[in-house]
Amino acid sequence: MMNYENKKEHIIKDLVNIIDTLDADLIELSALNGTGSRKKSLKKWYAEKKAIHEIKKLLHDINKYEKYDEKEMKKIEKEFENFDDYF
């Protein structure tokens, strides 16, 4: 039972770290001055997608989410780069 509790605690810590990183990214984006709202929205979208992907991976690792696509983040990064060049 102890192993289960340790694993549970580890997962909770990972989730907290993901959420903290997302919060920090969103606060940083809100503080940016002089950046166009479209570019800021794009960066916010990227931060949210990255956090969701990390949560999906975490859930997949503990066999609670089967739709996880390992290559999804690469697709998101490519899409972000294409849009980032546009703005």
Side-chain angles (χ1 to χ4, degrees):
M1 197 60 145
M2 187 62 157
N3 191 24
Y4 173 77
E5 289 300 319
N6 288 340
K7 192 173 187 178
K8 182 179 171 183
E9 186 66 29
H10 179 71
I11 291 167
I12 291 171
K13 285 181 183 179
D14 287 347
L15 282 171
V16 169
N17 288 337
I18 292 167
I19 299 299
D20 285 345
T21 301
L22 176 61
D23 286 343
D25 289 344
L26 295 177
I27 289 169
E28 181 181 329
L29 287 171
S30 295
L32 289 177
N33 291 329
T35 305
S37 64
R38 285 185 179 176
K39 191 164 189 164
K40 205 184 274 190
S41 293
L42 180 62
K43 288 182 178 186
K44 180 181 173 188
W45 170 84
Y46 178 76
E48 290 169 346
K49 287 291 188 178
K50 184 177 175 183
I52 291 169
H53 178 77
E54 291 174 7
I55 291 169
K56 286 179 179 180
K57 182 183 183 322
L58 182 63
L59 292 173
H60 175 75
D61 289 347
I62 60 169
N63 298 319
K64 297 295 182 183
Y65 185 77
E66 294 183 21
K67 297 178 186 176
Y68 173 71
D69 180 6
E70 210 173 288
K71 298 175 185 175
E72 179 183 34
M73 197 60 209
K74 294 287 184 193
K75 294 174 192 173
I76 292 169
E77 288 172 353
K78 186 176 180 180
E79 197 171 327
F80 177 72
E81 289 172 4
N82 289 339
F83 283 122
D84 195 36
D85 292 340
Y86 178 72
F87 294 105

